[in-house]
Amino acid sequence: MKRILLICFIITAIRANAQTSLYVDSSISASGAGTSWSAAYKTLNEALNVANAASTTVQYIINIAKGTYYPTGVQSATNRDSAFLIARGGVKLYGGFPSGGGARNVSADSVTLSGNIGTATTATDNSYHVMAIAGIASTADSIIIDGLNISGGNANGTGTKTLNAQAVSRNYGGGMCNMAAAGKLVINNCSFSGNAAGGGYGGGIANINSAPAIASCSFRDNIAKQGGGMYNSRTSAAGVGSVISYCTFSGNSATGSLISNGGGLSDISNN
């Protein structure tokens, strides 16, 4: 009986730690099965759709080749509610691979997630959020966002949209909106630039009931009414406050009249 129980325990542990790698490369002519560089997905949302729908006992490692990716899949689409959505724990995004695969180099093979859909020369029809992470349980496996440039989000809308059973405001988090993402969220080696939440909160990132660990990231030329680069609210409700280390803030601005509105960072974690 003990031997049977031990075998069952080992099988359960293996399943809990199972990993699946997916590959994304915008330079290919058509999507494959996503299981290798030679059969990569052409759009990032294809990989995220697979990962979001899968069992939470499997970790998904999504490797992204250099290029620009849009939440709609193509630059010319016009649905402003489109966003790169992560709806479960155990999803890891790594940018910085060359086209066709090879050694990872984030600087040489940059990956941009752009909200500049619709008309390329105007921001008025851009996605409200480039990326959204919503409804992640505190017990969920970790989420990692590493080596991505996030730009062109424009959270200037009204009302909310429902993502993973969470009401997400269209005027929060132009670059990234983390709403009730209480799981272990890590953001490394990323840049947030040229995002906006003109009448709202968190041009670059808005963290609501979420407490990510953010390291070695840059926030540049983002704008919002409050928290041009980053806005934190009720992050302590997620268990601990956000941990921000080795990050740079430059050229961000807040249009609100109060000095506490914070061009670079506004933190009202206990509110």
Side-chain angles (χ1 to χ4, degrees), residues 1-236:
M1 178 63 71
K2 290 182 179 179
R3 184 175 298 173
I4 293 173
L5 290 175
L6 178 59
I7 292 171
C8 291
F9 175 80
I10 292 172
I11 291 173
T12 301
I14 291 172
R15 286 178 178 170
N17 294 313
Q19 290 187 349
T20 295
S21 292
L22 299 176
Y23 301 85
V24 182
D25 188 345
S26 64
S27 71
I28 63 175
S29 58
S31 288
T35 53
S36 66
W37 285 118
S38 61
Y41 291 124
K42 187 174 178 64
T43 68
L44 176 56
N45 266 334
E46 290 174 283
L48 287 174
N49 288 342
V50 170
N52 285 333
S55 168
T56 56
T57 61
V58 180
Q59 291 188 4
Y60 274 83
I61 313 298
I62 300 177
N63 304 292
I64 312 168
K66 68 178 182 179
T68 301
Y69 298 84
Y70 301 94
T72 51
V74 293
Q75 190 275 331
S76 59
T78 57
N79 182 4
R80 299 192 66 196
D81 279 330
S82 299
F84 293 110
L85 173 65
I86 296 179
R88 48 154 288 188
V91 178
K92 331 286 187 184
L93 270 60
Y94 293 99
F97 293 93
S99 298
R104 185 174 184 241
N105 186 321
V106 173
S107 297
D109 297 306
S110 64
V111 172
T112 297
L113 307 188
S114 175
N116 189 16
I117 61 172
T119 304
T121 55
T122 181
T124 57
D125 58 358
N126 287 15
S127 287
Y128 295 120
H129 315 101
V130 179
M131 176 170 281
I133 303 174
I136 310 298
S138 60
T139 55
D141 199 355
S142 60
I143 297 169
I144 296 176
I145 311 296
D146 193 302
L148 304 179
N149 305 308
I150 297 174
S151 67
N154 187 17
N156 67 341
T158 59
T160 63
K161 60 181 178 181
T162 301
L163 297 174
N164 199 27
Q166 295 293 318
V168 178
S169 297
R170 294 187 178 95
N171 66 342
Y172 280 76
M176 178 184 290
C177 186
N178 300 319
M179 180 68 69
K184 298 176 283 296
L185 174 57
V186 177
I187 304 169
N188 288 330
N189 304 310
C190 292
S191 72
F192 296 82
S193 63
N195 300 288
Y201 307 88
I205 294 182
N207 297 310
I208 314 299
N209 288 331
S210 307
I214 304 173
S216 301
C217 292
S218 65
F219 297 83
R220 185 181 72 256
D221 300 331
N222 303 287
I223 186 170
K225 177 182 178 181
Q226 188 168 346
M230 184 187 305
Y231 175 80
N232 294 331
S233 177
R234 303 189 299 277
T235 59
S236 58

